[in-house]
Amino acid sequence: MLFSRSTGVLITLTWSLGAAIAQQSNLPDLAPGIFSAQSSAIIDAPLQTVWDVLLDFPSYPEWNPFSRSQVVTNALWIPLEDQTPHENLRLIIQAQIPPLPTPVDENTSPNLLHAQISFENITTIDHALHRAAWRAIMLPEVLLDSERWQALSTLPDGKTFYESKEVFRGPVGYVVDILFAEGLQEGFDAQATALKNRAESL
Ligand SMILES: *[C@@H]1O[C@H](CO)[C@@H](O)[C@H](O)[C@H]1NC(C)=O
């Protein structure tokens, strides 16, 4: 239902796949909102390798067609020398919505018409559960409440299950829905595929 507006067989497939192995989900329970974007991938690489790729923000420009850059900053939005993400540090995200055509590398030019910048707070970096989350804090939470979750788990065959989900709540969520829902869903799918390709090539 949430994805009624999203197009393509891929999304349906991802969705059914997610449902089929729902008992394997390592995402926390997220209350529904106005809309959500969600994607997953089965990655033929060790969990630790995928986790390292996911948290290595300085390398995002080399592979990520959706989140082109994520810079860890202090509370004053000043970039930090050490880009290791920790809870309660801030994140300046430059996203392409919809994502850039793949593959991308660090020299790929942005599409300025589709460039979005977002100011976020890192809310979870859980190295034991392999969950990470950050929340948009440009607007008060009563207006727009959106937190992007990503989680990893190991499947019975030893492969790594990557999941990503963001639920949008609050009145501004309706605007985001109209303007960006489809592009965000494409971005989540593109990042899942690119993460898989990156981790499997290491
Ligand atoms: C950022 O997230 C941390 C961890 O959840 C929380 O303790 C802190 O209050 C948040 N800061 C802001 C400015 O939202």
Side-chain angles (χ1 to χ4, degrees), residues 4-199:
S4 53
R5 128 181 345 87
S6 305
T7 51
V9 179
L10 179 63
I11 291 157
T12 314
L13 270 177
T14 312
W15 185 232
S16 333
L17 182 63
I21 46 178
Q23 74 279 9
Q24 291 285 346
S25 180
N26 186 32
L27 288 171
D29 282 332
L30 301 175
I34 294 158
F35 77 100
S36 63
Q38 173 169 323
S39 198
S40 64
I42 293 172
I43 302 178
D44 194 2
L47 183 146
Q48 189 61 46
T49 302
V50 185
W51 185 242
D52 291 345
V53 172
L54 202 58
L55 295 186
D56 178 9
F57 298 159
S59 297
Y60 271 29
E62 296 171 18
W63 65 270
N64 196 323
F66 171 50
S67 190
R68 293 296 293 141
S69 134
Q70 294 197 172
V71 175
V72 177
T73 78
N74 64 16
L76 300 173
W77 306 107
I78 296 168
L80 297 174
E81 188 92 33
D82 180 359
Q83 284 289 302
T84 311
H86 294 290
E87 287 174 17
N88 203 22
L89 289 176
R90 308 292 184 269
L91 209 47
I92 301 177
I93 300 177
Q94 297 199 41
Q96 290 276 294
I97 308 173
L100 292 175
T102 52
V104 293
D105 62 32
E106 65 275 26
N107 298 315
T108 306
S109 306
N111 179 335
L112 294 176
L113 289 175
H114 297 157
Q116 299 292 334
I117 190 158
S118 179
F119 296 86
E120 315 237 346
N121 180 36
I122 300 176
T123 48
T124 301
I125 300 287
D126 189 329
H127 291 283
L129 286 178
H130 301 104
R131 288 174 173 172
W134 32 90
R135 171 186 288 280
I137 56 168
M138 264 180 301
L139 293 173
E141 209 171 303
V142 292
L143 291 180
L144 181 65
D145 168 13
S146 68
E147 189 174 25
R148 179 170 189 192
W149 281 91
Q150 296 178 91
L152 301 178
S153 49
T154 301
L155 293 168
D157 63 3
K159 291 179 180 169
T160 301
F161 188 37
Y162 165 77
E163 301 166 273
S164 178
K165 184 170 184 177
E166 183 160 359
V167 181
F168 293 81
R169 306 185 193 90
V172 174
Y174 291 102
V175 181
V176 180
D177 186 5
I178 290 164
L179 293 178
F180 296 119
E182 198 170 324
L184 279 167
Q185 180 59 48
E186 287 172 27
F188 275 53
D189 287 333
Q191 175 168 324
T193 302
L195 175 69
K196 173 181 167 72
N197 292 339
R198 173 83 172 184

